[in-house]
Amino acid sequence: MHEYKLAPTALPQLPKAPTGIEGLDEITEGGLPLGRPTLVCGSAGCGKTLFGIEFLVRGILDYDEPGVLMTFEETADELAANVTSLGFDLKAMQDDKKLRVDHVHIDRSEIEETGEYDLEGLFIRLGYAIDTIGAKRVMLDTIEALFSGFPNEAVLRSEIRRLFRWLKDKGVTTVITAERGEGSLTRQGLEEYVSDCVILLDNRVIDQITTRRLRIVKYRGTTHGTNEYPYLITEDGFSVLPITSLKLEHTVSNEIISSGVPGLDEMFTRRGWYKGSSILITGTAGTAKTTLAASFALEACRRGERCLYFAFEESPAQLIRNMRAVGLDLQPHLDKGLLHIEASRPTLNGLERHLVTVHKLIKEYQPQCVVIDPISNLISVGSLSEVRSMLTRLIDFLKVSNITALFTALVSGRDGRMEMTEEGVSSLVDTWISVRDLEGIGERNRGLSILKARGMSHSNQVREFLVTDTGIQLLDVVIGPLGIITGASRLTQRIQEQAQLTAQEQEIARKDRELERKRRVLEATIANLRTEFESVEEELRQVNDEESSLQNAISQARSAATHDLNNRRPAAEPQRPA
């Protein structure tokens, strides 16, 4: 038995020609098949001709590959005028011998009169154009006009195969445009089977909003993206928006940055959130979501970072005025160029256009922080699934670019939640902050809590906050018998606590006075006892003194009596003889 299994790197990969079209090379994993024809089909107005022209122009400008454009419908002057608005100067490229535009006029009535029509003349004409400038890329626009003179389907099939084989033998990378047919990708329904790569462009209208989609139907010899991808035709040309970072291999930062609200920073154990992370602030109307977002943008500018602010509800002038009223002055940073506000209604463009606008401005402005306020307004220009898909691509793009992103979203006032945030964006972001109304007795107050913060622990408390003249101020938590106390109840609680404290102080003072009185009574009693003791002591001393005096007097009298007695005794009688 022979072993035929080879290592993955042992087999040669299919060579590809990069298109230079933004996003297309990513989903084709390198570009179009090198030296082979690619069929681009679609309905009227989907951008087939522009696709092919940009393929030629990018080859000339980016890869120094000359190209030949053979058109069967529009003249060279008409094509040059059509793409001037995109910044493509076809005449200058022709003068530099980098591009050759050849218009071939085909009149079906003339073909019917003569009864003869084949592709030999086309091969000679196209081969001469290729050899003249050494072309590497070719575009044929469109194949329906070329084969309109073939009524016989067998001959048509044979000639189509012969054209594609001739292009392959010539070794040029070719883009062939074709109009979409009924029930098939093209009018003849044959070209897609002999093409090595087939790209379908679709221009559809959903709820009065134009949406363009691109799909790679087939690509022989290589893997490729198989989904439908939105694409746009802008003033910069053709651009495709693939889903980026599917493998989630972007780098992360350990640096902590401030939210712009000191009290909110203290609710995170690391005093802020990670740089390059995504933050979502959800809440009902009037809960200061925009103020929190503006505080973050202002703090970023104070650090010297550039911030891009997308406003879907307020004009720049209105946003600046409103934020200045709460102590957040954005105008100086706008003047310095650190802050850029892009304001528009979501209904101005479709979702893809908004996404391209974000991509374009980020590429031009190179910000470190991006604010989108609010993302919930995008639902007006797309379904929930489309908005979720668009935001997924946007969040991935921002993470790959290491840009700190803050989104605000309006949630339902009935239950404080909405499916878009609950099932879509909230699972994608790194930090989720909820702001909501705290209803008290006859008043509404604002509360803030952190629902999630990946990579760090955080407070689980609901903090009441105020929007003051100096920005947002978080208040200390006050717990009452029934839970958190806010607003006027907080003031009432403080008054009650102050009254209780005053009563305690008065009770302590009363007890101090009572103790002092008892101390004085005790001292007076001690003084009386001491006086009484001294009196008794004095009496006893006097008694002792008198007793001593009496004893002394008695002793003296006794001594005097004895002395007198001795003096009165007679003389001793003479001793009688024995």
Side-chain angles (χ1 to χ4, degrees):
M1 290 290 292
H2 295 283
E3 182 64 42
Y4 295 107
K5 187 176 181 180
L6 299 176
T9 57
L11 295 175
Q13 301 295 319
L14 180 70
K16 298 182 180 181
T19 63
I21 296 176
E22 183 180 1
L24 182 60
D25 291 338
E26 183 175 350
I27 60 177
T28 57
E29 299 183 5
L32 303 182
L34 182 66
R36 300 186 183 186
T38 296
L39 183 66
V40 179
C41 50
S43 56
C46 63
K48 301 183 297 296
T49 302
L50 179 60
F51 182 98
I53 291 178
E54 185 158 355
F55 169 72
L56 294 180
V57 171
R58 297 300 177 191
I60 295 171
L61 299 178
D62 300 340
Y63 307 104
D64 194 25
E65 295 184 357
V68 171
L69 170 56
M70 182 166 282
T71 173
F72 307 107
E73 294 180 343
E74 297 177 281
T75 65
D77 292 337
E78 289 173 343
L79 286 174
N82 291 343
V83 298
T84 300
S85 60
L86 304 178
F88 300 157
D89 192 349
L90 299 187
K91 291 185 177 181
M93 296 178 188
Q94 295 179 71
D95 296 338
D96 294 337
K97 307 299 182 184
K98 293 293 185 180
L99 176 67
R100 188 177 181 105
V101 181
D102 192 359
H103 172 63
V104 178
H105 175 71
I106 299 177
D107 192 337
R108 183 166 184 173
S109 62
E110 297 176 359
I111 298 172
E112 291 175 351
E113 290 176 3
T114 61
E116 296 180 359
Y117 182 69
D118 58 36
L119 299 181
E120 290 300 329
L122 175 69
F123 293 158
I124 295 173
R125 192 165 177 173
L126 184 57
Y128 174 76
I130 293 173
D131 296 336
T132 300
I133 62 174
K136 301 294 183 182
R137 303 187 178 202
V138 173
M139 175 190 171
L140 302 180
D141 184 39
T142 64
I143 199 171
E144 281 76 23
L146 180 61
F147 290 110
S148 61
F150 287 91
N152 190 320
E153 184 174 335
V155 177
L156 174 63
R157 182 185 295 269
S158 175
E159 289 299 308
I160 288 177
R161 291 185 181 275
R162 195 156 72 98
L163 172 63
F164 279 66
R165 174 50 57 189
W166 185 89
L167 291 170
K168 282 186 179 181
D169 294 341
K170 200 66 178 177
V172 290
T173 306
T174 308
V175 170
I176 303 173
T177 63
E179 296 179 4
R180 191 167 186 178
E182 295 292 336
S184 61
L185 295 178
T186 59
R187 292 281 181 88
Q188 281 76 28
L190 303 173
E191 300 91 326
E192 59 263 33
Y193 296 104
V194 296
S195 301
D196 290 271
C197 179
V198 179
I199 297 177
L200 175 63
L201 303 181
D202 184 23
N203 187 19
R204 66 190 72 164
V205 178
I206 302 175
D207 294 333
Q208 302 180 2
I209 298 175
T210 301
T211 303
R212 292 185 170 98
R213 294 287 187 271
L214 177 147
R215 180 168 64 93
I216 302 176
V217 180
K218 63 181 288 189
Y219 198 148
R220 290 173 179 164
T222 181
T223 58
H224 57 85
T226 57
N227 297 327
E228 280 193 331
Y229 300 96
Y231 70 92
L232 288 177
I233 299 175
T234 66
E235 61 274 10
D236 297 323
F238 201 97
S239 61
V240 185
L241 305 175
I243 297 178
T244 57
S245 184
L246 291 178
K247 295 183 179 180
L248 297 177
E249 295 177 347
H250 56 273
T251 59
V252 296
S253 172
N254 289 322
E255 182 180 351
I256 299 296
I257 59 176
S258 172
S259 65
V261 180
L264 178 57
D265 291 341
E266 294 175 359
M267 297 182 69
F268 296 92
T269 55
R270 300 197 62 181
R271 300 297 186 268
W273 47 59
Y274 289 109
K275 183 178 182 180
S277 61
S278 52
I279 301 94
L280 175 66
I281 300 177
T282 61
T284 54
T287 49
K289 299 183 297 297
T290 300
T291 307
L292 286 167
S295 300
F296 168 72
L298 184 61
E299 183 64 22
C301 295
R302 288 171 178 169
R303 293 193 300 267
E305 299 178 356
R306 288 185 296 275
C307 181
L308 190 57
Y309 196 111
F310 293 91
F312 290 144
E313 291 184 334
E314 298 176 282
S315 67
Q318 183 181 4
L319 180 64
I320 293 170
R321 182 203 65 186
N322 294 346
M323 293 303 103
R324 186 181 291 119
V326 294
L328 306 177
D329 193 358
L330 303 176
Q331 188 63 49
H333 303 289
L334 277 171
D335 298 337
K336 294 179 183 178
L338 290 175
L339 178 64
H340 178 80
I341 301 176
E342 183 72 14
S344 64
R345 286 293 182 186
T347 52
L348 177 64
N349 300 300
L351 292 176
E352 291 77 20
R353 181 75 181 191
H354 284 298
L355 186 56
V356 161
T357 301
V358 173
H359 278 243
K360 180 182 176 182
L361 288 176
I362 288 176
K363 187 175 181 180
E364 294 176 355
Y365 194 64
Q366 295 294 315
Q368 286 80 34
C369 300
V370 169
V371 175
I372 299 182
D373 176 36
I375 58 175
S376 48
N377 281 23
L378 296 174
I379 290 184
S380 60
V381 291
S383 65
L384 190 62
S385 60
E386 290 174 339
V387 174
R388 186 182 299 123
S389 176
M390 178 262 194
L391 293 174
T392 300
R393 295 195 298 270
L394 177 58
I395 292 174
D396 284 344
F397 171 70
L398 294 172
K399 284 189 175 182
V400 170
S401 304
N402 196 28
I403 295 175
T404 308
L406 187 144
F407 308 95
T408 68
L410 179 69
V411 296
S412 173
R414 294 187 302 273
D415 55 3
R417 296 185 177 183
M418 191 170 65
E419 290 185 357
M420 187 192 67
T421 58
E422 195 66 20
E423 299 178 2
V425 184
S426 60
S427 62
L428 299 175
V429 297
D430 301 304
T431 301
W432 184 7
I433 299 172
S434 173
V435 287
R436 60 181 183 270
D437 288 326
L438 302 176
E439 294 189 15
I441 301 176
E443 64 180 7
R444 287 179 178 268
N445 301 290
R446 298 183 178 99
L448 180 149
S449 61
I450 301 174
L451 301 183
K452 66 181 286 190
R454 288 173 178 162
M456 68 177 72
S457 57
H458 55 85
S459 171
N460 62 349
Q461 292 180 327
V462 178
R463 296 282 299 274
E464 183 185 3
F465 68 92
L466 302 176
V467 180
T468 68
D469 293 339
T470 57
I472 290 180
Q473 177 186 356
L474 267 71
L475 304 179
D476 295 332
V477 176
V478 177
I479 305 296
L482 301 178
I484 295 178
I485 298 177
T486 61
S489 298
R490 175 192 290 269
L491 180 60
T492 303
Q493 179 74 9
R494 287 183 176 177
I495 294 175
Q496 291 177 352
E497 291 176 352
Q498 186 65 36
Q500 291 177 358
L501 181 61
T502 302
Q504 291 176 356
E505 292 176 350
Q506 292 176 350
E507 180 66 17
I508 292 174
R510 186 190 65 78
K511 291 181 178 181
D512 288 342
R513 292 193 301 271
E514 180 68 18
L515 182 63
E516 179 65 20
R517 186 185 64 78
K518 290 183 177 181
R519 185 185 63 79
R520 290 198 298 267
V521 170
L522 178 61
E523 290 178 351
T525 303
I526 293 174
N528 292 335
L529 291 175
R530 182 177 291 110
T531 302
E532 184 178 353
F533 174 78
E534 291 175 352
S535 299
V536 172
E537 185 181 25
E538 181 66 25
E539 291 178 358
L540 290 176
R541 187 181 298 112
Q542 291 179 358
V543 170
N544 288 334
D545 291 343
E546 292 176 356
E547 186 70 26
S548 297
S549 300
L550 180 60
Q551 290 295 332
N552 289 333
I554 293 173
S555 297
Q556 291 177 0
R558 188 174 295 164
S559 297
T562 303
H563 183 269
D564 292 340
L565 184 59
N566 290 333
N567 291 331
R568 293 177 181 175
R569 186 176 295 175
E573 295 180 357
Q575 190 174 8
R576 296 176 178 174

